Amino acid sequence: MSEAASLPDIDHYEQACDQAIAMCDGNLRSTIKALIMANEYLETELQELQAAVSCGCAPASNSDAA
């Protein structure tokens, strides 16, 4: 991320932050905890998908099918 984020990107992140905080009733600690939990879930999903691809249980890419 060597380039600075553009203004629309910043607005998007500001809106996403506001939405996450609102979903946790304004509690910043709960918001951070929810984001950490979501990130851990996504990391686990990614690891499982990578394992499935490496053993041939899932296709590596749809672009090869063309």
Side-chain angles (χ1 to χ4, degrees):
M1 298 182 81
S2 60
E3 297 180 22
S6 67
L7 187 57
D9 288 340
I10 293 170
D11 290 341
H12 170 75
Y13 293 129
E14 288 294 327
Q15 291 174 353
C17 286
D18 290 343
Q19 184 180 21
I21 293 167
M23 290 172 61
C24 293
D25 297 325
N27 185 314
L28 298 181
R29 184 175 180 85
S30 293
T31 304
I32 293 168
K33 184 177 178 180
L35 293 171
I36 291 169
M37 292 171 65
N39 190 58
E40 288 177 349
Y41 172 80
L42 291 172
E43 287 176 350
T44 300
E45 289 289 308
L46 178 59
Q47 290 172 354
E48 291 174 1
L49 181 58
Q50 288 174 331
V53 168
S54 69
C55 77
C57 298
S61 172
N62 286 339
S63 62
D64 296 335

